[in-house]
Amino acid sequence: MLDLRTVTERLDETRAALARRGFTDAPALDRLGALAVARRDAIVDVEALRHRRNVASEAMAQVADKRSAEFAARRDELRAVGAEIKALEARQSEAERELTDLLARIPNLPDESVPSGSGEADNVELRVFGERPRFPHEPRDHVDLGVGLGILDFERAAKLSGARFVVLRGLGARLERALIQLMLDLHVDEHGYTEMWVPTLVKDTALHGTGQLPKFAADLFRIAKDAQWEREAEAGGHELFLIPTAEVPLTNLHAGEILDAGDLPVAYTAYTACFRSEAGSYGKDTRGMIRQHQFDKVELVRFVRPDDALAELERLTGHAEAVLQRLGLCYRVVELCAGDLGFSSKKTYDLEVWLPGQNAYREISSCSWFGDFQARRLKARFRPAPDDKPQLVHTLNGSGLAVGRTLVAILEQYQLPDGSVRVPPALRPYLGGLDTLRPPG
RNA sequence: GGAGAGGUGGCCGAGUGGUCGAAGGCAACCGCUUGCUAAGCGGUCGUGCGGUGUAGAGCUGUACCGGGGGUUCGAAUCCCCCCCUCUCCGCCA
């Protein structure tokens, strides 16, 4: 969420910055200004009245005889004031409700350093790590390889859960587990992250905090246990969502808190399953395990001082890259242009791994700096110095990495002509020293 | 799921309709003191939103005692709904 005061005071700048990322809802921004004025006026009025009531109430407390005519007269007068206050409060909360609804749907402002552009084609390749493997044969994709090795089973997954799920078998399942282990070890032991284990079912408030709601409800799986729960949810009671990423629980960990400056940066990592309904993506990546309703991910989240934020983004991105480097996977770093930025992000680097089977780079990690956008929604603050006022922290996160896609990349980049797959050396200790996955028989 | 208890400031903990943003203690910060041994004394010590402003000082108003609604001239205190925590029972990995 953007800061109302800043937006209204610098409407033109805000408009221009939002236009860069393709958000051009002029009426919404104009309405914001009008609402801000209406809100302030309502506050001034209601507070003046409340002041009057408080003063009068205090005087009433002094009246010894509560049954006197004087007391009754004052009471009757104040009764009217009370009603008026109620009406003004309604006016204020109406303006505030509309204001926050509006504000909650406005995306973050891209950082100045973010390149202009309207979509994926305008993203900027910053660097390439490693070399694309060359094959003496036509490279196969992970589906052929995985099914051939007997480690991926899409048909049985469909039997259980429908499209966009996978079953990992034998060494496939173990490979997945080994990757999780390697990633967590790296981030904890070498990058200084605190490992966390968090719920994968969260309340809607958590999703508001990181920005998935209210705008992207269609991408989420919502849990309605039964008809009664459904009704309670309507009434503001139970309602839980499967997390689309561990960013949600990890970032919400410090919602409503004031952190000590000395504790920053706070760095968390967690492995979780992630769930996405990807409602808008029918027909995209239908083959294989590139886009699944359920997938594993190791996530990195950092809470930092605003001054350090840009350097922190580089650091975080480096941590995610370290996984790919450790595994010897060829990838590139791409900076998203303004038009391709996620809703809450100020600046994002995508790591794209080379997939020989697709003859393309595909996203395997997305590292973003959110400025105070999430922190404002979360009310996550820190106190710069003991006597200072609390200030919003900056949040960052990145995948470190998407485990399923990492498995895909290993299968495709390390494939051999006979359909077997070499195991990256760094991973071998996690697989009992195994150096090659071979087809059965 | 059933029965009961409870949610108050960074923490502990008073407070059952008006003088309560809220006693007291701890922690923290500042100063003083220092032959009463990590001691003593004094002071400071919440956040949001408005107004004013020599505008990230100061002054001032207002709100906040889990969340929301209600009663009342007035609510931390009374009523209703919801959320959460704890204890016991049931169920369960």
Side-chain angles (χ1 to χ4, degrees), chain A residues 304-322:
Chain A
V304 308
R305 308 179 64 116
D307 298 344
D308 303 334
L310 234 20
E312 284 281 2
L313 178 61
E314 303 299 326
R315 195 166 295 140
L316 174 83
T317 306
H319 296 155
E321 287 186 66

Side-chain angles (χ1 to χ4, degrees), chain A residues 116-131:
Chain A
S116 294
S118 58
E120 207 173 325
D122 298 313
N123 293 342
V124 179
E125 178 180 295
L126 297 181
R127 55 184 176 274
V128 176
F129 177 89
E131 289 194 10

Side-chain angles (χ1 to χ4, degrees), chain A residues 356-409:
Chain A
Q358 293 199 357
N359 196 39
Y361 285 103
R362 294 303 306 262
E363 178 185 334
I364 196 166
S365 171
S366 191
C367 301
S368 299
W369 165 43
F370 302 97
D372 59 16
F373 191 84
Q374 291 182 328
R376 184 168 294 106
R377 292 172 162 234
L378 295 164
K379 296 187 176 59
R381 296 172 294 175
F382 76 106
R383 203 180 293 279
D387 286 330
D388 288 350
K389 304 196 77 172
Q391 191 182 330
L392 294 169
V393 297
H394 280 198
T395 56
L396 302 100
N397 73 51
S399 349
L401 307 163
V403 181
R405 290 189 183 181
T406 307
L407 194 151
V408 167

